[in-house]
Amino acid sequence: MVAEAPDRRRRMAELADLVVQSRSRVSHTASRLERRGWVRRLPTADDRRGVVLSLTDEGYAVVRRLAPVHVASVRAALLDHLDRDHLLAHGEQMRRVVRANRASEDQAGDAA
């Protein structure tokens, strides 16, 4: 998601929403990638409260090298076994899961 963003940068909160993970989990993952030199955390230019995850040149090179392997493995393990109707049904099921998880997170945030 970061590699595909403009300037290879994306707000951490937006990234958490896109990958349907908690902000804490995304932060832990970012820490591991940061230690490898693949990303940097930067303050946002507009409000200074948020954090932007920036993919380094080294990180981008890793993504470019591994993306074809990842795509091939997902295709072989999942996509090659499903027809269009199966994929559309699976997409709808995953949308339901995402909506339910976001509703649960919203309720937990309201309670806090």
Side-chain angles (χ1 to χ4, degrees):
M1 297 291 181
V2 178
E4 296 171 357
D7 298 325
R8 298 188 320 233
R9 294 176 181 207
R10 197 171 293 270
R11 286 182 74 110
M12 294 279 287
E14 178 188 4
L15 186 58
D17 287 343
L18 287 170
V19 298
V20 194
Q21 292 287 330
S22 70
R23 291 180 185 189
S24 174
R25 183 152 186 110
V26 170
S27 183
H28 287 294
T29 300
S31 293
R32 287 194 308 274
L33 297 174
E34 203 168 27
R35 283 192 297 273
R36 293 178 181 174
W38 296 350
V39 298
R40 284 189 316 265
R41 291 183 226 212
L42 307 168
T44 57
D46 55 340
D47 66 13
R48 301 272 184 203
R49 293 180 307 155
V51 175
V52 172
L53 195 66
S54 175
L55 190 63
T56 64
D57 290 341
E58 182 182 355
Y60 187 65
V62 170
V63 169
R64 288 184 48 90
R65 187 176 76 244
L66 295 180
V69 175
H70 173 71
V71 169
S73 68
V74 170
R75 182 172 297 282
L78 180 65
L79 299 178
D80 288 347
H81 305 287
L82 303 172
D83 63 23
R84 184 178 189 279
D85 290 337
H86 289 122
L87 289 171
L88 290 172
H90 182 67
E92 177 53 34
Q93 292 164 348
M94 291 299 97
R95 276 189 290 282
R96 288 179 185 208
V97 169
V98 168
R99 282 193 300 264
N101 282 310
R102 286 191 177 144
S104 294
E105 288 173 4
D106 290 345
Q107 289 174 355
D110 291 343

